[in-house]
Amino acid sequence: MVLSIQELEWGLDNMNQTQFQAYQNIPQEKFTIVATQDIHDLKLDTKPVGYMKDAFRRFCKNKASVTAAIIIIFLLLFAVVGPFISKYETTFVDQNVQYLLPKSKNLQFLGWNGYSKKTISKADYIEYRAIEQELGVEVISKVYDEYTTETKMGKLVYYNTYYECKVNSYTATIMKEVQLTKEAYVALQNYQDENDVQVIYPITRMIYFKTDESVRADNANKDANGKFYSQSIYKDNANIWYRIQGSGNNKGIPAGYTNKNTYDEIKLTHDYVTSSLVSTSDDYTSKMRVSFEENNEFKYAKKVSGGNYLVRVNYNEYFEYLHGHEPLFLFGADQYGKDIFVNLAAGARFSLIFALCISAINLIIGAIYGAIEGYYGGAADMIMERITDILGGVPFMIVVTLFKLHIMDKVGTVTTMIFAFVLTGWIGMASTTRMQFYRYKNQEYVLAARTLGAKDRRIMFKHIFPNALGTLITSCVLVIPGVIFSESSLSYLGIVNLGVGGSTSVGTLMANGRGSISTYPHVILFPAVFIALLMITFNLFGNGLRDAFNPSLRGSEE
Amino acid sequence: MYMFKYILKRIGLMLLTFFVIMTMCFVLVKLLPVVDVKVFGQDANIIKMRREALGYGKPIMEQYFIFLKSVIVHGNWGVGEQMYTGSEVIDIFRQKLPATILVNVYSMILSVPVGLLFGIYAALKKNKWQDHFISTSVMIFVSVPSYVYAFLIQYLLCFKLGWFDFIMAPCETLSDYLSWTTFLSLIPAILSLSFGTIAGFTRYTRAELTEVLTSDFMLLARTKGLTKSQATVRHALRNAMVPIFPMIIGQFVGILSGSLIIESIFSIPGVGGLYVQSINLKDYNFFMLLSAFYTFIGLAANIIVDISYGIIDPRIRMGAR
């Protein structure tokens, strides 16, 4: 039978006085030692398990949360290491490589190769075939289908031929015209000679694009013979094969495309043919000349104003000349030619640090506020609760907007956002702490501490607060995806722009991809997948933590 | 009687909170530099006159009383200064409201039954593979932001498969809003909004129903001879509905403010788009009205949930000592 202390006390109090005295006056020699050996407790076989360790053990039992934690580690690694392993800087911008598709050197067999299935017009098709012939690279790897559509406009019937094929984005727009200063032009020629690569290709200009079928009805014009031509679309396109093959109507058509339907479509001329270029020299001294040139008849550059040269380059080679490596974007490039991989990593790093900071600040403010509320109660609690009621009632959007309008110009976007998130963010933490304080402040051990003379502050933070720690850590973790979600929503809506000054956030990246969802979905896909993954794993991780710290709450929200 | 007092108290507190928030909002907006009016002929004069009537240049508190008077007595929230120049703000707001409500109503019509069904199914199959599958999917669907769904739906259903239009069909009259074409063009937006809500309902229903299913009165019901389905439908579901129903109401009110981003993605001419526009263009009259709207919605959602808990199940006394 086990007696409580009170019962023992009662027993002693009610003992017969003489009995009590008899017990008190037992002579020493009447005592004998019962145990000859030392008496001591058995040593515990198991190690003592603390609160944290216990929680950790429970957490490890939850497979989903552990998986989530591992994925989170990978995401963090990506955010931290990504910028270092990428060949690109976050500041890298190059319009000439815009919208290149994701391509990986080692994972090409998975279809991660920069190709995409596309429906292209006949003009594009011929152009791509021409590039293939000129450079010996592959643009179209497979043609699935070819079909012709009819459009009636008044009495005229327009026929448009389309090809459904797999196009390599890295070679489809490979030829670019760039303006170089004289020094750069000479340096590029030297590079060509040293490395034995052809970067500069003969310059071509298309005069007009002529067809019986009128390829583009939208800006078709009639020429003197009543034939339709359209000029503006392709005028500055450097991707037109320059080689005039054959003669007459066959000019400008790649070999093998000489049937009647095709050869009337493109009519090209070299700039060297036009009078302005015939007389001027192209200052091309490099030994690299295209193989099918017969007697140096091609011009490799066109002089433009300011003493610069307009040259037509194979941009992949030119890129290698500029940056020391070929253009290859693991996650593709966006509309500015930015590398999505490195920007996503940098954006993720920013978003995570941002969320962590906010979470930490919220924790501190919320803990102190909630502690005061819960511990003192009464009027203080009443007033402070009204304040949180009012703050909590303000929609987050309004907070952000008002902060934006008031202080954004003075302190910058990031500080503004931190203020906005902190202003209402700590309320959840405060109410959690308050609840815990209400639960524990009247318990005996607190009374004991007070009896021993502990000050209010000590009781609050040494004795009661640790009880709330598990729940608070959990809400801290759950705040992170919330902050990232709100931040990305706001960026996506264009209300704040965290993408200024070289920094970026995941939301900004997604907002960048909004305009090209149907044409270049990869721009938005990677940030979207990243953010979805982040949200799922953080929520799973947070729920796992909650269950681990607070087994009694398990499944309460599942 | 207690309930009546409680409701009155809650509503009073809510109105007080609302009033304080709006006062703060007004003062903070008035502290901002006055934005020049975009001038188009006569509009500028109208706005100038309106501004004078609103007491521009006077102390902020005086302006506030004028503002309160015009809002409460005349229902007049001012005119658009940067957008919809010269039009009454409240009129534009009224024009935009149907689209927002429509999307949300459709989304609720879709997500309530689906969410409840999934939740009930998962609860009945507790700890079997069906339950695990549903629970895992719910976790995923709850976490993924709605604009990610919007992106996937736009790309897959609208672009790749070509089933729906990218944006909402234009609407002029009320019958336009209720027409079949409008509904079709709204489907992507409805779907994007619904995934998260469905997952939320499923999770909640499952949690509530499993709790009820394991309680003692279910055993009693079985003992007195009811079949399992009878017991589930008559006793478990009814009791589980007690907390679920307020949640549905609260969700519906809350979702009105949650559809902001979806509205902007699918170009739905709703209140959300108006709000974002007013922020970007710094039209403070619109901003005040819409802030009031969203604040009210948020507060109302809270209070409705709390009150309906009490009404549906008198055992629950929210906020009682």
Side-chain angles (χ1 to χ4, degrees):
Chain A
M1 194 176 94
V2 182
L3 288 176
S4 68
I5 295 194
Q6 285 94 340
E7 282 168 313
L8 270 177
E9 281 169 355
W10 182 85
L12 282 174
D13 288 344
N14 293 283
M15 221 179 254
N16 191 320
Q17 197 62 37
T18 47
Q19 270 178 348
F20 188 67
Q21 271 172 3
Y23 278 124
Q24 269 190 334
N25 301 324
I26 302 170
Q28 202 176 2
E29 60 271 12
K30 281 201 173 179
F31 286 98
T32 51
I33 294 170
V34 178
T36 47
Q37 289 165 327
D38 287 344
I39 303 174
H40 53 77
D41 285 339
L42 268 181
K43 209 173 183 189
L44 287 171
D45 285 339
T46 50
K47 280 182 187 163
V49 179
Y51 177 59
M52 284 292 165
K53 192 152 187 203
D54 199 28
F56 182 71
R57 223 165 49 181
R58 274 194 296 261
F59 181 78
C60 287
K61 275 187 191 155
N62 189 339
K63 282 197 199 86
S65 304
V66 173
T67 322
I70 292 168
I71 297 176
I72 288 178
I73 291 173
F74 273 109
L75 293 179
L76 288 178
L77 267 182
F78 164 71
V80 174
V81 181
F84 295 110
I85 59 168
S86 174
K87 285 170 181 157
Y88 302 93
E89 300 284 319
T90 46
T91 46
F92 173 83
V93 174
D94 188 346
Q95 281 291 343
N96 285 318
V97 294
Q98 67 172 351
Y99 290 134
L100 289 187
L101 295 181
K103 181 179 177 181
S104 160
K105 254 193 180 144
N106 304 319
L107 298 171
Q108 300 221 352
F109 58 92
L110 288 176
W112 201 324
N113 51 14
Y115 282 84
S116 68
K117 201 172 163 185
K118 260 181 165 178
T119 303
I120 52 174
S121 70
K122 193 171 193 173
D124 285 340
Y125 182 76
I126 291 172
E127 184 188 319
Y128 292 160
R129 287 300 187 199
I131 292 169
E132 287 182 343
Q133 272 200 352
E134 182 183 6
L135 302 179
V137 293
E138 187 184 69
V139 181
I140 296 171
S141 65
K142 200 174 176 186
V143 180
Y144 298 98
D145 195 15
E146 178 189 342
Y147 60 91
T148 305
T149 58
E150 272 185 43
T151 320
K152 280 187 183 161
M153 289 181 81
K155 283 182 182 173
L156 287 166
V157 182
Y158 298 104
Y159 296 96
N160 297 310
T161 307
Y162 293 101
Y163 293 81
E164 207 177 288
C165 44
K166 212 163 206 178
V167 179
N168 185 349
S169 67
Y170 283 80
T171 48
T173 55
I174 194 168
M175 300 310 295
K176 298 282 179 193
E177 279 177 346
V178 289
Q179 268 202 35
L180 300 174
T181 60
K182 181 150 182 140
E183 293 77 36
Y185 182 47
V186 172
L188 184 56
Q189 288 184 42
N190 291 338
Y191 170 81
Q192 280 200 116
D193 291 344
E194 280 163 26
N195 296 289
D196 231 23
V197 286
Q198 184 88 42
V199 181
I200 306 176
Y201 281 77
I203 198 142
T204 60
R205 279 274 139 152
M206 187 166 74
I207 288 192
Y208 62 82
F209 186 73
K210 183 173 169 182
T211 171
D212 286 335
E213 299 173 355
S214 184
V215 173
R216 308 263 159 148
D218 49 339
N219 65 341
N221 296 302
K222 271 185 186 170
D223 69 0
N225 302 324
K227 289 199 165 187
F228 286 96
Y229 68 93
S230 83
Q231 191 172 38
S232 52
I233 303 177
Y234 296 107
K235 200 174 63 182
D236 293 322
N237 190 336
N239 273 335
I240 297 291
W241 194 48
Y242 57 91
R243 173 88 173 175
I244 296 178
Q245 206 183 29
S247 58
N249 282 336
N250 279 357
K251 274 183 180 178
I253 305 301
Y257 293 87
T258 49
N259 67 62
K260 177 74 183 92
N261 279 336
T262 319
Y263 63 65
D264 210 19
E265 285 210 332
I266 300 175
K267 215 160 198 180
L268 297 173
T269 184
H270 307 307
D271 258 353
Y272 79 92
V273 180
T274 64
S275 55
S276 63
L277 267 183
V278 173
S279 52
T280 55
S281 158
D282 59 3
D283 294 332
Y284 190 73
T285 53
S286 169
K287 69 175 176 12
M288 300 299 299
R289 300 189 82 92
V290 286
S291 60
F292 34 79
E293 189 174 16
E294 275 138 25
N295 34 20
N296 294 0
E297 75 269 32
F298 294 143
K299 297 275 176 179
Y300 284 79
K302 182 183 170 189
K303 278 184 182 166
V304 290
S305 58
N308 289 347
Y309 292 85
L310 186 71
V311 291
R312 182 168 163 267
V313 294
N314 173 341
Y315 206 78
N316 284 4
E317 298 291 351
Y318 185 65
F319 194 90
E320 192 155 354
Y321 161 70
L322 285 180
H323 303 287
H325 57 88
E326 60 175 323
L328 190 139
F329 298 96
L330 194 59
F331 287 178
D334 68 2
Q335 72 264 48
Y336 310 112
K338 282 180 167 183
D339 178 37
I340 293 176
F341 178 84
V342 71
N343 275 292
L344 183 58
R349 193 166 52 176
F350 172 80
S351 295
L352 283 169
I353 292 176
F354 182 71
L356 251 154
C357 284
I358 287 166
S359 175
I361 300 173
N362 282 349
L363 174 67
I364 295 167
I365 300 179
I368 295 174
Y369 195 93
I372 295 172
E373 262 185 321
Y375 187 74
Y376 292 108
D381 181 36
M382 179 71 190
I383 294 167
M384 288 167 96
E385 268 297 275
R386 289 290 82 74
I387 295 175
T388 51
D389 265 2
I390 289 168
L391 276 181
V394 188
F396 182 60
M397 195 67 116
I398 297 178
V399 177
V400 174
T401 313
L402 287 175
F403 267 114
K404 178 189 161 174
L405 294 172
H406 275 279
I407 59 170
M408 176 103 74
D409 297 337
K410 289 169 210 151
V411 297
T413 318
V414 178
T415 327
T416 313
M417 289 296 283
I418 289 180
F419 272 121
F421 273 109
V422 167
L423 185 75
T424 52
W426 53 267
I427 292 174
M429 303 267 188
S431 65
T432 310
T433 321
R434 178 172 168 265
M435 285 278 274
Q436 295 293 330
F437 267 76
Y438 265 115
R439 247 169 82 184
Y440 288 100
K441 73 172 179 184
N442 290 325
Q443 299 222 340
E444 283 82 4
Y445 77 95
V446 178
L447 193 70
R450 189 171 293 134
T451 320
L452 289 172
K455 287 203 176 80
D456 278 353
R457 203 193 301 160
R458 189 182 164 83
I459 293 174
M460 277 157 83
F461 290 104
K462 273 263 161 155
H463 296 285
I464 307 182
F465 185 67
N467 288 307
L469 205 59
T471 331
L472 280 178
I473 292 177
T474 311
S475 33
C476 258
V477 171
L478 288 173
V479 159
I480 293 173
V483 169
I484 294 179
F485 170 71
S486 307
E487 178 267 309
S488 55
S489 307
L490 289 170
S491 304
Y492 199 72
L493 283 171
I495 289 178
V496 292
N497 183 11
L498 286 161
V500 286
S503 73
T504 187
S505 75
V506 187
T508 318
L509 287 174
M510 284 195 66
N512 279 348
R514 260 185 87 168
S516 52
I517 277 187
S518 53
T519 38
Y520 302 102
H522 71 271
V523 179
I524 202 168
L525 176 73
F526 288 99
V529 167
F530 180 83
I531 214 159
L533 212 57
L534 200 74
M535 302 288 287
I536 294 169
T537 49
F538 261 101
N539 278 332
L540 274 177
F541 179 67
N543 285 353
L545 272 186
R546 186 196 57 208
D547 293 348
F549 278 124
N550 233 331
S552 57
L553 279 180
R554 190 196 301 269
S556 69
E557 265 175 47
E558 272 179 290
Chain B
M1 195 57 215
Y2 168 79
M3 205 58 217
F4 183 66
K5 246 165 115 184
Y6 171 64
I7 292 173
L8 268 190
K9 192 179 140 199
R10 284 303 304 260
I11 290 178
L13 268 180
M14 185 200 110
L15 286 179
L16 191 70
T17 313
F18 179 69
F19 179 73
V20 172
I21 292 174
M22 285 330 288
T23 311
M24 283 188 335
C25 223
F26 185 86
V27 172
L28 284 171
V29 164
K30 284 296 163 191
L31 284 175
L32 290 167
V34 178
V35 184
D36 282 337
V37 188
K38 275 186 184 164
V39 199
F40 295 110
Q42 230 182 345
D43 292 343
N45 287 329
I46 296 175
I47 290 161
K48 240 180 225 166
M49 278 157 61
R50 294 297 285 265
R51 278 186 167 181
E52 265 164 34
L54 287 173
Y56 270 53
K58 287 180 185 160
I60 288 178
M61 274 304 130
E62 209 175 323
Q63 286 189 44
Y64 187 53
F65 288 123
I66 298 174
F67 171 77
L68 275 186
K69 202 175 144 195
S70 74
V71 166
I72 294 169
V73 180
H74 309 290
N76 169 16
W77 290 80
V79 291
E81 297 185 347
Q82 308 299 319
M83 44 202 249
Y84 304 101
T85 321
S87 319
E88 291 286 333
V89 167
I90 191 86
D91 290 345
I92 303 290
F93 175 73
R94 278 205 201 104
Q95 279 173 27
K96 299 278 180 183
L97 201 54
T100 301
I101 292 180
L102 198 68
V103 176
N104 287 295
V105 167
Y106 280 145
S107 161
M108 287 312 279
I109 291 176
L110 177 68
S111 35
V112 169
V114 177
L116 288 186
L117 276 182
F118 277 133
I120 293 168
Y121 186 68
L124 292 177
K125 298 273 177 192
K126 197 188 172 195
N127 288 335
K128 296 202 179 114
W129 69 267
Q130 293 98 328
D131 174 37
H132 290 306
F133 178 73
I134 290 179
S135 296
T136 316
S137 323
V138 159
M139 197 59 227
I140 293 171
F141 278 110
V142 158
S143 305
V144 176
S146 57
Y147 52 80
V148 173
Y149 299 128
F151 150 64
L152 286 174
I153 287 168
Q154 267 194 334
Y155 184 67
L156 294 176
L157 301 188
C158 302
F159 177 67
K160 277 280 169 186
L161 299 172
W163 287 358
F164 310 110
D165 291 339
F166 263 90
I167 52 171
M168 182 183 165
C171 290
E172 300 266 316
T173 59
L174 193 67
S175 58
D176 276 355
Y177 279 111
L178 298 173
S179 69
W180 182 245
T181 41
T182 310
F183 174 69
L184 277 183
S185 68
L186 274 178
I187 288 180
I190 296 166
L191 284 180
S192 321
L193 265 180
S194 300
F195 280 129
T197 344
I198 290 175
F201 283 143
T202 307
R203 183 160 84 169
Y204 203 70
T205 312
R206 180 192 171 276
E208 291 302 330
L209 196 56
T210 39
E211 210 184 304
V212 174
L213 281 176
T214 49
S215 53
D216 294 339
F217 68 81
M218 283 301 290
L219 198 65
L220 179 71
R222 294 300 305 279
T223 328
K224 76 178 186 191
L226 293 183
T227 61
K228 196 177 177 193
S229 56
Q230 279 174 328
T232 310
V233 174
R234 287 191 205 161
H235 295 274
L237 263 184
R238 266 195 194 177
N239 274 290
M241 271 302 158
V242 168
I244 293 170
F245 196 70
M247 188 216 170
I248 293 174
I249 301 170
Q251 267 282 340
F252 175 67
V253 187
I255 203 176
L256 275 178
S257 55
S259 62
L260 208 88
I261 195 160
I262 295 296
E263 281 181 29
S264 119
I265 291 174
F266 290 100
S267 311
I268 293 166
V271 181
L274 200 66
Y275 194 34
V276 174
Q277 209 183 347
S278 79
I279 291 169
N280 287 336
L281 292 175
K282 297 188 184 172
D283 191 314
Y284 299 137
N285 290 345
F286 272 107
F287 180 71
M288 278 309 290
L289 172 61
L290 294 166
S291 297
F293 173 70
Y294 280 113
T295 311
F296 189 80
I297 291 270
L299 293 173
N302 265 338
I303 195 176
I304 288 175
V305 172
D306 280 3
I307 291 175
S308 51
Y309 267 126
I311 292 178
I312 292 172
D313 185 357
R315 285 170 300 180
I316 301 171
R317 295 256 182 271
M318 295 302 289
R321 299 273 146 194

